[in-house]
Amino acid sequence: ETGVTQTPRHLVMGMTNKKSLKCEQHLGHNAMYWYKQSAKKPLELMFVYSLEERVENNSVPSRFSPECPNSSHLFLHLHTLQPEDSALYLCASSRTSGGPQETQYFGPGTRLLVL
Amino acid sequence: AQSVAQPEDQVNVAEGNPLTVKCTYSVSGNPYLFWYVQYPNRGLQFLLKYITGDNLVKGSYGFEAEFNKSQTSFHLKKPSALVSDSALYFCAVRGSGANNLFFGTGTRLTVIP
């Protein structure tokens, strides 16, 4: 595996629920990312953290709230989601967030279904 | 603006035959190009990348990709396909002045026994 783990792997939630996705990387990286993967669409970058500071927020609705307590852990807190938010949510990490040659390593994803 | 195009949603190839998965890109500045593979119910796995130097890049599982600057392409290739190569393949690009990685929509490769 890649050294990036995500839990849970599957999640079903109602529109009024609050849940959290967790990501952990064991690679000693300093940058972590959340992506949304929907069918037939390019991966959408949601958030970027570098050294625990958010450096990118790509116009993501406020019902998605990220948290990075340390460089190894990243959370995505979810509340009052919509059915169109159903997707595969991927976490990734890289040594740094800068440097165009940096390779990102992905976790297995959380398959989210919003009813 | 940066973008990646994977013109084929689906590629079918017979086992043992060579395979090609196409990718073209548009970036400002020098391109940094990546290929990832996604197996069912898994995340993206890094295959290879082009940074600079030799236009032919070799990666994991016998895959290679050829950078062609004049055609702005970075096609993924393998001389002899295996059934286990069946997966979803993503091309990604980052320009020299950009932080974000831009992904294509993916190409589903099916290797037929």
Side-chain angles (χ1 to χ4, degrees), chain A residues 1 9 35 37 40-43 45 56 58 88 90 97-108, chain B residues 9 32 34 36 38 41-46 49 51 88 90 94-96 98-101 103-105:
Chain A
E1 295 300 330
R9 294 293 307 275
Y35 286 88
Q37 184 181 16
K40 300 292 177 79
K41 294 175 67 175
L43 267 69
L45 179 64
E56 187 105 18
N58 277 355
L88 182 68
L90 293 166
S97 63
Q101 73 278 13
E102 288 292 338
T103 299
Q104 293 181 18
Y105 294 89
F106 286 79
Chain B
D9 288 340
Y32 296 81
F34 301 77
Y36 286 84
Q38 186 177 32
N41 300 314
R42 304 278 288 276
L44 276 66
Q45 294 181 33
F46 169 70
K49 68 181 177 183
I51 303 301
L88 191 56
F90 289 93
R94 185 190 280 126
S96 55
N99 290 325
N100 293 348
L101 197 56
F103 285 84
T105 51

mmCIF file of all heavy atoms in Angstrom, chain A residues 1 9 35 37 40-43 45 56 58 88 90 97-108, chain B residues 9 32 34 36 38 41-46 49 51 88 90 94-96 98-101 103-105:
data_model
loop_
_atom_site.group_PDB
_atom_site.id
_atom_site.type_symbol
_atom_site.label_atom_id
_atom_site.label_comp_id
_atom_site.label_asym_id
_atom_site.label_seq_id
_atom_site.Cartn_x
_atom_site.Cartn_y
_atom_site.Cartn_z
ATOM 1 N N GLU A 1 0.824 -1.201 0.000
ATOM 2 C CA GLU A 1 0.000 0.000 0.000
ATOM 3 C C GLU A 1 0.862 1.256 0.000
ATOM 4 O O GLU A 1 2.075 1.193 0.124
ATOM 5 C CB GLU A 1 -0.930 -0.011 1.224
ATOM 6 C CG GLU A 1 -1.956 -1.133 1.217
ATOM 7 C CD GLU A 1 -2.886 -1.083 0.004
ATOM 8 O OE1 GLU A 1 -3.134 0.011 -0.491
ATOM 9 O OE2 GLU A 1 -3.320 -2.152 -0.436
ATOM 10 N N ARG A 9 -14.051 3.345 5.115
ATOM 11 C CA ARG A 9 -13.953 3.116 3.675
ATOM 12 C C ARG A 9 -15.287 3.381 2.989
ATOM 13 O O ARG A 9 -15.318 3.757 1.818
ATOM 14 C CB ARG A 9 -13.504 1.679 3.415
ATOM 15 C CG ARG A 9 -12.088 1.384 3.880
ATOM 16 C CD ARG A 9 -11.037 2.149 3.079
ATOM 17 N NE ARG A 9 -11.195 1.954 1.662
ATOM 18 C CZ ARG A 9 -10.700 0.932 0.975
ATOM 19 N NH1 ARG A 9 -9.991 0.016 1.596
ATOM 20 N NH2 ARG A 9 -10.881 0.835 -0.329
ATOM 21 N N TYR A 35 -9.361 15.410 -2.014
ATOM 22 C CA TYR A 35 -9.913 15.458 -3.356
ATOM 23 C C TYR A 35 -11.301 14.815 -3.340
ATOM 24 O O TYR A 35 -11.572 13.895 -2.572
ATOM 25 C CB TYR A 35 -9.065 14.645 -4.347
ATOM 26 C CG TYR A 35 -7.762 15.247 -4.761
ATOM 27 C CD1 TYR A 35 -6.596 15.018 -4.031
ATOM 28 C CD2 TYR A 35 -7.672 16.017 -5.921
ATOM 29 C CE1 TYR A 35 -5.379 15.556 -4.441
ATOM 30 C CE2 TYR A 35 -6.462 16.550 -6.342
ATOM 31 C CZ TYR A 35 -5.319 16.309 -5.596
ATOM 32 O OH TYR A 35 -4.124 16.832 -6.001
ATOM 33 N N GLN A 37 -13.743 12.700 -5.972
ATOM 34 C CA GLN A 37 -13.772 11.995 -7.248
ATOM 35 C C GLN A 37 -15.197 11.592 -7.574
ATOM 36 O O GLN A 37 -15.809 10.793 -6.873
ATOM 37 C CB GLN A 37 -12.878 10.751 -7.227
ATOM 38 C CG GLN A 37 -12.814 10.063 -8.577
ATOM 39 C CD GLN A 37 -11.949 8.820 -8.580
ATOM 40 O OE1 GLN A 37 -11.605 8.277 -7.532
ATOM 41 N NE2 GLN A 37 -11.572 8.353 -9.756
ATOM 42 N N LYS A 40 -16.786 10.145 -14.237
ATOM 43 C CA LYS A 40 -16.615 10.842 -15.505
ATOM 44 C C LYS A 40 -16.150 12.296 -15.357
ATOM 45 O O LYS A 40 -16.296 13.090 -16.288
ATOM 46 C CB LYS A 40 -17.926 10.807 -16.320
ATOM 47 C CG LYS A 40 -18.413 9.416 -16.656
ATOM 48 C CD LYS A 40 -17.496 8.730 -17.623
ATOM 49 C CE LYS A 40 -17.935 7.311 -17.922
ATOM 50 N NZ LYS A 40 -19.010 7.191 -18.872
ATOM 51 N N LYS A 41 -15.626 12.660 -14.209
ATOM 52 C CA LYS A 41 -15.119 14.017 -13.991
ATOM 53 C C LYS A 41 -13.682 13.943 -13.503
ATOM 54 O O LYS A 41 -13.280 12.970 -12.856
ATOM 55 C CB LYS A 41 -15.971 14.750 -12.952
ATOM 56 C CG LYS A 41 -17.390 15.025 -13.394
ATOM 57 C CD LYS A 41 -18.213 15.645 -12.278
ATOM 58 C CE LYS A 41 -17.754 17.030 -11.926
ATOM 59 N NZ LYS A 41 -18.654 17.662 -10.911
ATOM 60 N N PRO A 42 -12.894 14.964 -13.785
ATOM 61 C CA PRO A 42 -11.535 14.992 -13.225
ATOM 62 C C PRO A 42 -11.595 15.084 -11.713
ATOM 63 O O PRO A 42 -12.577 15.582 -11.154
ATOM 64 C CB PRO A 42 -10.924 16.273 -13.816
ATOM 65 C CG PRO A 42 -11.794 16.641 -14.954
ATOM 66 C CD PRO A 42 -13.158 16.127 -14.639
ATOM 67 N N LEU A 43 -10.542 14.617 -11.069
ATOM 68 C CA LEU A 43 -10.466 14.790 -9.625
ATOM 69 C C LEU A 43 -10.535 16.276 -9.288
ATOM 70 O O LEU A 43 -9.887 17.101 -9.925
ATOM 71 C CB LEU A 43 -9.157 14.227 -9.078
ATOM 72 C CG LEU A 43 -9.169 12.791 -8.594
ATOM 73 C CD1 LEU A 43 -9.333 11.833 -9.762
ATOM 74 C CD2 LEU A 43 -7.893 12.474 -7.826
ATOM 75 N N LEU A 45 -9.714 19.077 -6.597
ATOM 76 C CA LEU A 45 -8.967 19.402 -5.391
ATOM 77 C C LEU A 45 -9.849 20.250 -4.488
ATOM 78 O O LEU A 45 -10.412 21.259 -4.925
ATOM 79 C CB LEU A 45 -7.696 20.174 -5.758
ATOM 80 C CG LEU A 45 -6.815 20.615 -4.603
ATOM 81 C CD1 LEU A 45 -6.248 19.420 -3.862
ATOM 82 C CD2 LEU A 45 -5.692 21.510 -5.110
ATOM 83 N N GLU A 56 -4.804 26.110 0.630
ATOM 84 C CA GLU A 56 -5.673 26.157 -0.541
ATOM 85 C C GLU A 56 -7.073 25.724 -0.134
ATOM 86 O O GLU A 56 -7.246 24.736 0.581
ATOM 87 C CB GLU A 56 -5.146 25.213 -1.620
ATOM 88 C CG GLU A 56 -5.847 25.289 -2.942
ATOM 89 C CD GLU A 56 -5.039 26.023 -4.004
ATOM 90 O OE1 GLU A 56 -3.830 26.170 -3.822
ATOM 91 O OE2 GLU A 56 -5.643 26.433 -5.000
ATOM 92 N N ASN A 58 -10.452 25.412 -2.486
ATOM 93 C CA ASN A 58 -10.946 25.628 -3.838
ATOM 94 C C ASN A 58 -12.453 25.826 -3.882
ATOM 95 O O ASN A 58 -13.178 25.024 -4.451
ATOM 96 C CB ASN A 58 -10.543 24.448 -4.736
ATOM 97 C CG ASN A 58 -9.139 24.624 -5.249
ATOM 98 O OD1 ASN A 58 -8.509 25.632 -5.023
ATOM 99 N ND2 ASN A 58 -8.631 23.614 -5.924
ATOM 100 N N LEU A 88 -16.475 9.614 -4.143
ATOM 101 C CA LEU A 88 -15.313 9.014 -3.475
ATOM 102 C C LEU A 88 -14.419 10.161 -3.026
ATOM 103 O O LEU A 88 -14.029 11.002 -3.845
ATOM 104 C CB LEU A 88 -14.566 8.089 -4.429
ATOM 105 C CG LEU A 88 -13.351 7.356 -3.852
ATOM 106 C CD1 LEU A 88 -13.787 6.328 -2.805
ATOM 107 C CD2 LEU A 88 -12.556 6.675 -4.961
ATOM 108 N N LEU A 90 -10.912 11.279 -1.627
ATOM 109 C CA LEU A 90 -9.547 10.785 -1.575
ATOM 110 C C LEU A 90 -8.657 11.737 -0.807
ATOM 111 O O LEU A 90 -8.732 12.961 -0.980
ATOM 112 C CB LEU A 90 -8.986 10.630 -2.989
ATOM 113 C CG LEU A 90 -9.630 9.541 -3.844
ATOM 114 C CD1 LEU A 90 -9.231 9.723 -5.303
ATOM 115 C CD2 LEU A 90 -9.220 8.174 -3.364
ATOM 116 N N SER A 97 4.102 20.929 -0.303
ATOM 117 C CA SER A 97 3.020 21.324 -1.211
ATOM 118 C C SER A 97 3.550 22.131 -2.382
ATOM 119 O O SER A 97 2.892 22.285 -3.388
ATOM 120 C CB SER A 97 1.971 22.156 -0.459
ATOM 121 O OG SER A 97 2.555 23.355 0.021
ATOM 122 N N GLY A 98 4.750 22.665 -2.237
ATOM 123 C CA GLY A 98 5.352 23.403 -3.337
ATOM 124 C C GLY A 98 6.232 22.495 -4.147
ATOM 125 O O GLY A 98 6.457 21.349 -3.799
ATOM 126 N N GLY A 99 6.764 22.963 -5.213
ATOM 127 C CA GLY A 99 7.626 22.122 -6.032
ATOM 128 C C GLY A 99 6.810 21.325 -7.008
ATOM 129 O O GLY A 99 6.117 20.388 -6.633
ATOM 130 N N PRO A 100 6.838 21.672 -8.271
ATOM 131 C CA PRO A 100 5.979 21.009 -9.257
ATOM 132 C C PRO A 100 6.329 19.544 -9.464
ATOM 133 O O PRO A 100 5.509 18.795 -9.991
ATOM 134 C CB PRO A 100 6.217 21.825 -10.527
ATOM 135 C CG PRO A 100 7.539 22.477 -10.334
ATOM 136 C CD PRO A 100 7.659 22.736 -8.874
ATOM 137 N N GLN A 101 7.512 19.127 -9.031
ATOM 138 C CA GLN A 101 7.889 17.744 -9.259
ATOM 139 C C GLN A 101 7.435 16.811 -8.150
ATOM 140 O O GLN A 101 7.630 15.612 -8.223
ATOM 141 C CB GLN A 101 9.413 17.633 -9.410
ATOM 142 C CG GLN A 101 10.184 17.794 -8.115
ATOM 143 C CD GLN A 101 10.400 19.243 -7.721
ATOM 144 O OE1 GLN A 101 9.777 20.152 -8.271
ATOM 145 N NE2 GLN A 101 11.298 19.481 -6.787
ATOM 146 N N GLU A 102 6.797 17.365 -7.114
ATOM 147 C CA GLU A 102 6.397 16.542 -5.980
ATOM 148 C C GLU A 102 5.342 15.521 -6.379
ATOM 149 O O GLU A 102 4.347 15.850 -7.040
ATOM 150 C CB GLU A 102 5.834 17.419 -4.852
ATOM 151 C CG GLU A 102 6.870 18.251 -4.116
ATOM 152 C CD GLU A 102 7.828 17.392 -3.303
ATOM 153 O OE1 GLU A 102 7.480 16.247 -2.965
ATOM 154 O OE2 GLU A 102 8.924 17.865 -3.024
ATOM 155 N N THR A 103 5.524 14.299 -5.942
ATOM 156 C CA THR A 103 4.561 13.235 -6.204
ATOM 157 C C THR A 103 3.586 13.150 -5.035
ATOM 158 O O THR A 103 4.004 13.162 -3.875
ATOM 159 C CB THR A 103 5.278 11.895 -6.365
ATOM 160 O OG1 THR A 103 6.168 11.991 -7.483
ATOM 161 C CG2 THR A 103 4.286 10.769 -6.613
ATOM 162 N N GLN A 104 2.319 13.068 -5.355
ATOM 163 C CA GLN A 104 1.298 12.878 -4.334
ATOM 164 C C GLN A 104 0.965 11.395 -4.228
ATOM 165 O O GLN A 104 0.849 10.700 -5.242
ATOM 166 C CB GLN A 104 0.047 13.677 -4.684
ATOM 167 C CG GLN A 104 0.272 15.179 -4.633
ATOM 168 C CD GLN A 104 -0.961 15.983 -4.964
ATOM 169 O OE1 GLN A 104 -2.084 15.478 -4.918
ATOM 170 N NE2 GLN A 104 -0.768 17.255 -5.273
ATOM 171 N N TYR A 105 0.808 10.928 -3.007
ATOM 172 C CA TYR A 105 0.478 9.539 -2.729
ATOM 173 C C TYR A 105 -0.914 9.499 -2.102
ATOM 174 O O TYR A 105 -1.187 10.228 -1.146
ATOM 175 C CB TYR A 105 1.526 8.908 -1.808
ATOM 176 C CG TYR A 105 2.864 8.812 -2.487
ATOM 177 C CD1 TYR A 105 3.775 9.861 -2.413
ATOM 178 C CD2 TYR A 105 3.196 7.697 -3.250
ATOM 179 C CE1 TYR A 105 4.999 9.796 -3.066
ATOM 180 C CE2 TYR A 105 4.419 7.623 -3.905
ATOM 181 C CZ TYR A 105 5.305 8.679 -3.815
ATOM 182 O OH TYR A 105 6.500 8.601 -4.474
ATOM 183 N N PHE A 106 -1.760 8.626 -2.653
ATOM 184 C CA PHE A 106 -3.176 8.637 -2.315
ATOM 185 C C PHE A 106 -3.550 7.495 -1.381
ATOM 186 O O PHE A 106 -2.995 6.396 -1.449
ATOM 187 C CB PHE A 106 -4.019 8.530 -3.587
ATOM 188 C CG PHE A 106 -4.048 9.784 -4.395
ATOM 189 C CD1 PHE A 106 -2.992 10.118 -5.221
ATOM 190 C CD2 PHE A 106 -5.136 10.642 -4.316
ATOM 191 C CE1 PHE A 106 -3.020 11.294 -5.973
ATOM 192 C CE2 PHE A 106 -5.182 11.812 -5.056
ATOM 193 C CZ PHE A 106 -4.123 12.141 -5.881
ATOM 194 N N GLY A 107 -4.555 7.764 -0.554
ATOM 195 C CA GLY A 107 -5.192 6.726 0.219
ATOM 196 C C GLY A 107 -6.241 6.005 -0.614
ATOM 197 O O GLY A 107 -6.493 6.378 -1.754
ATOM 198 N N PRO A 108 -6.884 4.985 -0.023
ATOM 199 C CA PRO A 108 -7.863 4.189 -0.779
ATOM 200 C C PRO A 108 -9.203 4.882 -0.964
ATOM 201 O O PRO A 108 -10.014 4.444 -1.772
ATOM 202 C CB PRO A 108 -8.027 2.934 0.075
ATOM 203 C CG PRO A 108 -7.695 3.396 1.454
ATOM 204 C CD PRO A 108 -6.643 4.449 1.307
ATOM 205 N N ASP B 9 -12.373 7.348 -23.384
ATOM 206 C CA ASP B 9 -12.943 6.908 -22.107
ATOM 207 C C ASP B 9 -12.598 5.450 -21.841
ATOM 208 O O ASP B 9 -12.461 5.037 -20.698
ATOM 209 C CB ASP B 9 -14.464 7.056 -22.130
ATOM 210 C CG ASP B 9 -14.905 8.495 -22.059
ATOM 211 O OD1 ASP B 9 -14.097 9.336 -21.619
ATOM 212 O OD2 ASP B 9 -16.056 8.781 -22.439
ATOM 213 N N TYR B 32 5.133 19.248 -15.834
ATOM 214 C CA TYR B 32 5.509 18.125 -14.983
ATOM 215 C C TYR B 32 4.335 17.158 -15.060
ATOM 216 O O TYR B 32 3.219 17.494 -14.681
ATOM 217 C CB TYR B 32 5.769 18.584 -13.548
ATOM 218 C CG TYR B 32 6.950 19.525 -13.475
ATOM 219 C CD1 TYR B 32 6.791 20.875 -13.785
ATOM 220 C CD2 TYR B 32 8.204 19.059 -13.130
ATOM 221 C CE1 TYR B 32 7.877 21.735 -13.750
ATOM 222 C CE2 TYR B 32 9.288 19.920 -13.092
ATOM 223 C CZ TYR B 32 9.117 21.256 -13.406
ATOM 224 O OH TYR B 32 10.187 22.106 -13.375
ATOM 225 N N PHE B 34 2.383 13.274 -14.859
ATOM 226 C CA PHE B 34 2.250 12.107 -13.986
ATOM 227 C C PHE B 34 1.218 11.144 -14.567
ATOM 228 O O PHE B 34 0.251 11.548 -15.208
ATOM 229 C CB PHE B 34 1.762 12.525 -12.589
ATOM 230 C CG PHE B 34 2.653 13.499 -11.873
ATOM 231 C CD1 PHE B 34 2.670 14.839 -12.208
ATOM 232 C CD2 PHE B 34 3.471 13.063 -10.842
ATOM 233 C CE1 PHE B 34 3.493 15.747 -11.554
ATOM 234 C CE2 PHE B 34 4.301 13.959 -10.166
ATOM 235 C CZ PHE B 34 4.309 15.300 -10.526
ATOM 236 N N TYR B 36 -1.190 7.925 -13.029
ATOM 237 C CA TYR B 36 -1.657 7.162 -11.882
ATOM 238 C C TYR B 36 -2.598 6.065 -12.381
ATOM 239 O O TYR B 36 -3.260 6.219 -13.417
ATOM 240 C CB TYR B 36 -2.440 8.044 -10.913
ATOM 241 C CG TYR B 36 -1.611 8.993 -10.075
ATOM 242 C CD1 TYR B 36 -1.218 10.233 -10.574
ATOM 243 C CD2 TYR B 36 -1.233 8.655 -8.783
ATOM 244 C CE1 TYR B 36 -0.467 11.103 -9.804
ATOM 245 C CE2 TYR B 36 -0.489 9.521 -7.997
ATOM 246 C CZ TYR B 36 -0.113 10.749 -8.514
ATOM 247 O OH TYR B 36 0.629 11.608 -7.740
ATOM 248 N N GLN B 38 -5.813 3.398 -10.996
ATOM 249 C CA GLN B 38 -6.784 3.158 -9.922
ATOM 250 C C GLN B 38 -7.472 1.829 -10.168
ATOM 251 O O GLN B 38 -8.192 1.660 -11.147
ATOM 252 C CB GLN B 38 -7.809 4.276 -9.851
ATOM 253 C CG GLN B 38 -8.762 4.159 -8.668
ATOM 254 C CD GLN B 38 -9.721 5.336 -8.583
ATOM 255 O OE1 GLN B 38 -10.114 5.910 -9.589
ATOM 256 N NE2 GLN B 38 -10.092 5.715 -7.355
ATOM 257 N N ASN B 41 -12.190 -0.008 -6.130
ATOM 258 C CA ASN B 41 -12.267 0.203 -4.681
ATOM 259 C C ASN B 41 -10.919 0.570 -4.056
ATOM 260 O O ASN B 41 -10.676 0.281 -2.883
ATOM 261 C CB ASN B 41 -12.851 -1.027 -3.987
ATOM 262 C CG ASN B 41 -14.241 -1.359 -4.476
ATOM 263 O OD1 ASN B 41 -15.088 -0.476 -4.598
ATOM 264 N ND2 ASN B 41 -14.479 -2.618 -4.803
ATOM 265 N N ARG B 42 -10.066 1.160 -4.847
ATOM 266 C CA ARG B 42 -8.750 1.565 -4.328
ATOM 267 C C ARG B 42 -8.502 3.027 -4.686
ATOM 268 O O ARG B 42 -9.148 3.604 -5.550
ATOM 269 C CB ARG B 42 -7.650 0.699 -4.954
ATOM 270 C CG ARG B 42 -7.827 -0.786 -4.763
ATOM 271 C CD ARG B 42 -7.329 -1.227 -3.417
ATOM 272 N NE ARG B 42 -5.881 -1.202 -3.347
ATOM 273 C CZ ARG B 42 -5.095 -2.189 -3.769
ATOM 274 N NH1 ARG B 42 -5.608 -3.274 -4.296
ATOM 275 N NH2 ARG B 42 -3.787 -2.087 -3.652
ATOM 276 N N GLY B 43 -7.521 3.616 -4.015
ATOM 277 C CA GLY B 43 -7.112 4.963 -4.376
ATOM 278 C C GLY B 43 -6.195 4.954 -5.586
ATOM 279 O O GLY B 43 -5.957 3.917 -6.193
ATOM 280 N N LEU B 44 -5.698 6.125 -5.917
ATOM 281 C CA LEU B 44 -4.801 6.229 -7.065
ATOM 282 C C LEU B 44 -3.391 5.799 -6.665
ATOM 283 O O LEU B 44 -2.884 6.200 -5.621
ATOM 284 C CB LEU B 44 -4.753 7.669 -7.577
ATOM 285 C CG LEU B 44 -5.845 8.111 -8.549
ATOM 286 C CD1 LEU B 44 -7.208 8.112 -7.858
ATOM 287 C CD2 LEU B 44 -5.529 9.463 -9.132
ATOM 288 N N GLN B 45 -2.773 5.000 -7.518
ATOM 289 C CA GLN B 45 -1.398 4.578 -7.283
ATOM 290 C C GLN B 45 -0.490 5.244 -8.308
ATOM 291 O O GLN B 45 -0.773 5.215 -9.505
ATOM 292 C CB GLN B 45 -1.262 3.063 -7.413
ATOM 293 C CG GLN B 45 -2.001 2.283 -6.343
ATOM 294 C CD GLN B 45 -1.794 0.792 -6.525
ATOM 295 O OE1 GLN B 45 -0.738 0.352 -6.977
ATOM 296 N NE2 GLN B 45 -2.789 0.004 -6.161
ATOM 297 N N PHE B 46 0.592 5.814 -7.852
ATOM 298 C CA PHE B 46 1.548 6.485 -8.721
ATOM 299 C C PHE B 46 2.270 5.466 -9.602
ATOM 300 O O PHE B 46 2.755 4.436 -9.115
ATOM 301 C CB PHE B 46 2.554 7.241 -7.852
ATOM 302 C CG PHE B 46 3.741 7.770 -8.576
ATOM 303 C CD1 PHE B 46 3.612 8.817 -9.475
ATOM 304 C CD2 PHE B 46 4.992 7.224 -8.362
ATOM 305 C CE1 PHE B 46 4.716 9.309 -10.145
ATOM 306 C CE2 PHE B 46 6.103 7.709 -9.027
ATOM 307 C CZ PHE B 46 5.971 8.757 -9.920
ATOM 308 N N LYS B 49 6.468 9.524 -13.584
ATOM 309 C CA LYS B 49 6.377 10.967 -13.814
ATOM 310 C C LYS B 49 7.506 11.428 -14.718
ATOM 311 O O LYS B 49 8.577 10.803 -14.759
ATOM 312 C CB LYS B 49 6.382 11.735 -12.504
ATOM 313 C CG LYS B 49 7.698 11.682 -11.732
ATOM 314 C CD LYS B 49 7.574 12.480 -10.425
ATOM 315 C CE LYS B 49 8.850 12.387 -9.590
ATOM 316 N NZ LYS B 49 8.701 13.114 -8.292
ATOM 317 N N ILE B 51 9.826 14.754 -15.307
ATOM 318 C CA ILE B 51 10.235 16.052 -14.760
ATOM 319 C C ILE B 51 11.091 16.779 -15.782
ATOM 320 O O ILE B 51 10.815 17.904 -16.172
ATOM 321 C CB ILE B 51 11.008 15.880 -13.440
ATOM 322 C CG1 ILE B 51 10.155 15.108 -12.425
ATOM 323 C CG2 ILE B 51 11.425 17.220 -12.877
ATOM 324 C CD1 ILE B 51 8.849 15.779 -12.097
ATOM 325 N N LEU B 88 -8.439 1.822 -14.145
ATOM 326 C CA LEU B 88 -8.685 3.193 -14.591
ATOM 327 C C LEU B 88 -7.372 3.965 -14.504
ATOM 328 O O LEU B 88 -6.708 3.940 -13.462
ATOM 329 C CB LEU B 88 -9.747 3.818 -13.690
ATOM 330 C CG LEU B 88 -10.387 5.148 -14.081
ATOM 331 C CD1 LEU B 88 -11.009 5.080 -15.462
ATOM 332 C CD2 LEU B 88 -11.457 5.512 -13.042
ATOM 333 N N PHE B 90 -5.197 7.554 -14.923
ATOM 334 C CA PHE B 90 -5.315 9.010 -14.905
ATOM 335 C C PHE B 90 -3.980 9.655 -15.251
ATOM 336 O O PHE B 90 -2.945 9.314 -14.684
ATOM 337 C CB PHE B 90 -5.737 9.505 -13.511
ATOM 338 C CG PHE B 90 -7.155 9.179 -13.148
ATOM 339 C CD1 PHE B 90 -7.450 8.020 -12.449
ATOM 340 C CD2 PHE B 90 -8.189 10.020 -13.506
ATOM 341 C CE1 PHE B 90 -8.750 7.713 -12.101
ATOM 342 C CE2 PHE B 90 -9.501 9.731 -13.166
ATOM 343 C CZ PHE B 90 -9.779 8.571 -12.468
ATOM 344 N N ARG B 94 1.177 19.405 -13.937
ATOM 345 C CA ARG B 94 1.375 20.608 -13.148
ATOM 346 C C ARG B 94 2.352 21.485 -13.909
ATOM 347 O O ARG B 94 3.369 20.997 -14.401
ATOM 348 C CB ARG B 94 1.922 20.271 -11.767
ATOM 349 C CG ARG B 94 2.037 21.457 -10.834
ATOM 350 C CD ARG B 94 2.814 21.079 -9.597
ATOM 351 N NE ARG B 94 2.019 20.353 -8.619
ATOM 352 C CZ ARG B 94 2.361 19.172 -8.114
ATOM 353 N NH1 ARG B 94 3.453 18.572 -8.516
ATOM 354 N NH2 ARG B 94 1.611 18.594 -7.203
ATOM 355 N N GLY B 95 2.060 22.774 -14.051
ATOM 356 C CA GLY B 95 2.969 23.698 -14.694
ATOM 357 C C GLY B 95 4.055 24.139 -13.733
ATOM 358 O O GLY B 95 3.909 24.028 -12.517
ATOM 359 N N SER B 96 5.143 24.664 -14.264
ATOM 360 C CA SER B 96 6.288 25.007 -13.418
ATOM 361 C C SER B 96 5.964 26.107 -12.423
ATOM 362 O O SER B 96 6.597 26.227 -11.398
ATOM 363 C CB SER B 96 7.487 25.417 -14.276
ATOM 364 O OG SER B 96 7.125 26.464 -15.159
ATOM 365 N N ALA B 98 2.934 26.481 -10.972
ATOM 366 C CA ALA B 98 1.671 26.162 -10.301
ATOM 367 C C ALA B 98 1.894 25.163 -9.180
ATOM 368 O O ALA B 98 2.823 24.365 -9.212
ATOM 369 C CB ALA B 98 0.689 25.578 -11.307
ATOM 370 N N ASN B 99 1.030 25.230 -8.188
ATOM 371 C CA ASN B 99 1.082 24.259 -7.100
ATOM 372 C C ASN B 99 0.139 23.088 -7.330
ATOM 373 O O ASN B 99 0.400 21.983 -6.877
ATOM 374 C CB ASN B 99 0.721 24.933 -5.773
ATOM 375 C CG ASN B 99 1.797 25.882 -5.312
ATOM 376 O OD1 ASN B 99 2.979 25.611 -5.530
ATOM 377 N ND2 ASN B 99 1.412 26.976 -4.714
ATOM 378 N N ASN B 100 -0.978 23.328 -8.006
ATOM 379 C CA ASN B 100 -2.002 22.297 -8.099
ATOM 380 C C ASN B 100 -1.727 21.314 -9.222
ATOM 381 O O ASN B 100 -1.192 21.665 -10.269
ATOM 382 C CB ASN B 100 -3.373 22.944 -8.312
ATOM 383 C CG ASN B 100 -3.818 23.727 -7.106
ATOM 384 O OD1 ASN B 100 -3.229 23.612 -6.040
ATOM 385 N ND2 ASN B 100 -4.852 24.521 -7.273
ATOM 386 N N LEU B 101 -2.163 20.095 -8.975
ATOM 387 C CA LEU B 101 -2.051 19.016 -9.947
ATOM 388 C C LEU B 101 -3.414 18.906 -10.632
ATOM 389 O O LEU B 101 -4.439 18.791 -9.966
ATOM 390 C CB LEU B 101 -1.704 17.726 -9.208
ATOM 391 C CG LEU B 101 -1.164 16.533 -9.957
ATOM 392 C CD1 LEU B 101 0.082 16.909 -10.735
ATOM 393 C CD2 LEU B 101 -0.878 15.406 -8.986
ATOM 394 N N PHE B 103 -5.901 16.839 -13.119
ATOM 395 C CA PHE B 103 -6.108 15.474 -13.584
ATOM 396 C C PHE B 103 -7.023 15.439 -14.799
ATOM 397 O O PHE B 103 -7.920 16.277 -14.961
ATOM 398 C CB PHE B 103 -6.755 14.635 -12.478
ATOM 399 C CG PHE B 103 -5.813 14.251 -11.370
ATOM 400 C CD1 PHE B 103 -5.564 15.136 -10.322
ATOM 401 C CD2 PHE B 103 -5.179 13.022 -11.372
ATOM 402 C CE1 PHE B 103 -4.686 14.791 -9.300
ATOM 403 C CE2 PHE B 103 -4.309 12.668 -10.350
ATOM 404 C CZ PHE B 103 -4.060 13.543 -9.321
ATOM 405 N N GLY B 104 -6.816 14.415 -15.633
ATOM 406 C CA GLY B 104 -7.759 14.120 -16.696
ATOM 407 C C GLY B 104 -8.947 13.356 -16.143
ATOM 408 O O GLY B 104 -9.025 13.060 -14.955
ATOM 409 N N THR B 105 -9.872 13.018 -17.026
ATOM 410 C CA THR B 105 -11.098 12.338 -16.622
ATOM 411 C C THR B 105 -10.928 10.832 -16.503
ATOM 412 O O THR B 105 -11.832 10.140 -16.064
ATOM 413 C CB THR B 105 -12.234 12.632 -17.604
ATOM 414 O OG1 THR B 105 -11.778 12.363 -18.928
ATOM 415 C CG2 THR B 105 -12.670 14.086 -17.521
#
